[in-house]
Amino acid sequence: MSSVNRRNFLKASGVAILPAFVPAIATASNNRTESPADEPIIKFFYDGEDFTPSMYINELQKINSKENIKRDFYGQGGAVTALEKKFTEITGKEKAIYMPTGTMANQFAIAVLSGNNTKVFVQDESHVYRDEADAAQSVFQKRLMPLAKGKTYFTAADLEKAVDGLKGEEVFSSGIGAVSIENPVRRMNGCMVPLEEIKKISAYCRSKQIKLHLDGARIFMASAWSGVSIKEYASYFDTVYISLYKYLGAAGGAILCGDKTVIDQMPHLIKIHGGNMFGNWTSAAMALHRLEGIETRLKESIKQATTLFDVLNKTKLINISTLDGGTNIYPVEFSKEVDGKKAQELLDKQYKIRIGPPNDKNQTQFTVNETILYRDAAYITDAFKEVMAAAKR
Ligand SMILES: Cc1ncc(COP(=O)(O)O)c(C=O)c1O
């Protein structure tokens, strides 16, 4: 990772709070409440199951034994085409296209939506602004205009003010190309942009003929926690990108959805940027398979987590709180009586429940994902109660 500040990368991607050792055994779910691993491991980090190579191969074999996985050629046909079709149904958009990365999907969407106009408004805390190595500026000649520093989102009023302000602030006008919104926002602990604000921003943009892109890498999380369908979210945007690996199990990949006129411009861009890979079916088949029932599983995961957290909070040995407008990330603080690090170790060793290591203030975060469904609520509750009793100072 030579061109990347590894410490900052881990921090920004949320991996910095992982347990001291990364799990050697991966677990994965085929029918979502069972782990295919010999011993299911519940992980309170990551947005979904995370496969090791051997588990990935096993999972693909299971998929293949039900129905032969069909290969693609340079992203055409087979599992890739089937996945694209599925995403047009999920998002309600006219067309979808597979891309090797979300970074590519964001950048191409913004570039195409902007046309020759150069200014693109983004959240200051967004992946597009902070984590895409200035690609918009250096590769696509777009000038990112950050709004809402330190906040999850900018309001329609903020955007309008910024757009109107340009007239007085700049002498030589150049057009506004697009607005990009990330939802939920990774750098803001997965907090969401409220639907009402999205509606206002969308209405404003449409009234000014400004195109709107959604970095919906984790839009399934926003949808599960807010109850707003992905189709509804997508309806307010011209283009939507969704990650295939954050909670859909794929080894990588992204989907970009939008109008045919926009998506039809993507194959050429993918090719000239060297992103047209010969075979993409390993990721597409995995994502396609794990898409089935994911919304139900996430709803169940929320239910299970809510029950668990209520019970645990009553012990007064731990405080699990919610974030205002949050999704699957919950701040956690063990009481002073409990040695949080010891509790973490015992949970892992004795119960195969993995949490991020508490810091020197006895605080950590729980990220809820579908691995919480590998065991029933009673197992997890009892495990926490027992380790917290054993870890009392
Ligand atoms: C919000 C958000 N957008 C975009 C990306 C980029 O995805 P990729 O790693 O596929 O380029 C990420 C990845 O971490 C992300 O968190």
Side-chain angles (χ1 to χ4, degrees):
M1 199 174 273
S2 59
S3 63
V4 175
N5 177 331
R6 191 175 161 81
R7 240 181 96 218
N8 284 350
F9 171 78
L10 291 175
K11 204 169 151 223
S13 59
V15 181
I17 59 156
L18 282 181
F21 59 96
V22 173
I25 315 162
T27 59
S29 167
N30 190 25
N31 80 0
R32 316 314 162 204
T33 51
E34 281 173 27
S35 162
D38 296 340
E39 273 195 295
I41 300 172
I42 293 168
K43 294 175 217 164
F44 284 101
F45 46 84
Y46 292 146
D47 298 304
E49 184 51 282
D50 158 53
F51 294 97
T52 61
S54 67
M55 292 308 302
Y56 200 95
I57 292 164
N58 286 346
E59 193 75 354
L60 281 184
Q61 259 166 358
K62 269 193 250 160
I63 299 167
N64 195 52
S65 67
K66 280 192 204 143
E67 191 183 338
N68 277 352
I69 295 172
K70 293 183 189 68
R71 66 184 300 184
D72 65 296
F73 288 96
Y74 287 111
Q76 304 283 318
V80 172
T81 300
L83 184 73
E84 290 169 346
K85 183 170 176 293
K86 182 86 192 159
F87 270 103
T88 59
E89 290 158 17
I90 292 169
T91 60
K93 293 292 184 203
E94 219 177 346
K95 214 162 173 188
I97 188 163
Y98 174 93
M99 292 199 192
T101 69
T103 301
M104 187 178 266
N106 277 337
Q107 293 296 329
F108 288 177
I110 289 168
V112 169
L113 291 179
S114 297
N116 290 328
N117 292 327
T118 51
K119 292 183 178 66
V120 177
F121 287 96
V122 294
Q123 292 133 300
D124 196 299
E125 304 295 337
S126 65
H127 195 277
V128 168
Y129 188 59
R130 295 202 170 265
D131 303 300
E132 298 189 2
D134 295 341
Q137 294 89 329
S138 58
V139 183
F140 300 96
Q141 295 83 46
K142 301 301 171 206
R143 175 180 166 206
L144 298 184
M145 314 278 287
L147 297 174
K149 191 170 171 62
K151 294 186 193 161
T152 301
Y153 61 95
F154 52 81
T155 63
D158 293 336
L159 178 63
E160 195 171 343
K161 196 169 155 216
V163 171
D164 289 347
L166 285 173
K167 288 173 210 134
E169 287 163 5
E170 302 199 354
V171 176
F172 299 98
S173 61
S174 69
I176 297 158
V179 171
S180 175
I181 294 179
E182 179 177 321
N183 186 38
V185 185
R186 178 63 196 97
R187 281 178 172 272
M188 299 306 289
N189 286 320
C191 284
M192 289 181 277
V193 185
L195 183 69
E196 288 314 307
E197 212 52 58
I198 291 175
K199 285 184 188 172
K200 285 186 205 158
I201 292 170
S202 177
Y204 171 74
C205 286
R206 282 179 183 163
S207 75
K208 299 276 172 193
Q209 276 93 47
I210 300 170
K211 300 292 181 186
L212 192 53
H213 170 67
L214 171 62
D215 175 343
R218 296 176 181 80
I219 197 67
F220 277 82
M221 296 296 149
S223 178
W225 265 260
S226 67
V228 177
S229 71
I230 291 170
K231 203 175 268 174
E232 166 148 23
Y233 276 128
S235 71
Y236 301 111
F237 294 84
D238 295 286
T239 47
V240 181
Y241 136 66
I242 300 172
S243 175
L244 300 182
Y245 69 85
K246 296 194 187 298
Y247 39 84
L248 292 175
I255 280 281
L256 181 71
C257 308
D259 286 350
K260 189 172 177 304
T261 49
V262 173
I263 301 302
D264 281 349
Q265 296 181 55
M266 298 299 162
H268 178 70
L269 282 173
I270 295 171
K271 182 65 189 169
I272 63 173
H273 287 88
N276 191 209
M277 303 199 302
F278 178 64
N280 306 272
W281 55 269
T282 48
S283 288
M286 179 67 82
L288 192 58
H289 168 66
R290 292 180 67 86
L291 265 175
E292 237 174 80
I294 185 156
E295 282 161 295
T296 310
R297 297 193 308 274
L298 287 175
K299 289 236 148 61
E300 285 300 308
S301 304
I302 295 172
K303 228 162 94 186
Q304 173 115 314
T306 308
T307 311
L308 172 71
F309 297 167
D310 280 352
V311 175
L312 293 182
N313 279 340
K314 288 200 179 94
T315 67
K316 305 280 182 221
L317 295 174
I318 191 169
N319 181 45
I320 306 160
S321 49
T322 51
L323 292 168
D324 196 20
T327 52
N328 62 334
I329 298 178
Y330 296 79
V332 175
E333 184 167 352
F334 287 96
S335 84
K336 288 196 177 65
E337 277 177 83
V338 175
D339 178 344
K341 283 211 172 72
K342 192 168 173 203
Q344 178 220 345
E345 281 164 22
L346 292 175
L347 272 172
D348 180 28
K349 272 201 202 106
Q350 296 178 5
Y351 296 97
K352 299 280 175 227
I353 296 174
R354 295 193 173 148
I355 65 171
N359 61 19
D360 51 11
K361 292 190 178 123
N362 237 6
Q363 295 166 334
T364 183
Q365 286 182 338
F366 288 172
T367 301
V368 172
N369 56 53
E370 60 180 279
T371 66
I372 199 172
L373 300 177
Y374 291 165
R375 300 281 197 176
D376 59 31
Y379 175 91
I380 310 173
T381 311
D382 291 348
F384 269 94
K385 282 183 176 170
E386 277 169 40
V387 301
M388 291 192 299
K392 275 198 183 159
R393 297 182 215 265

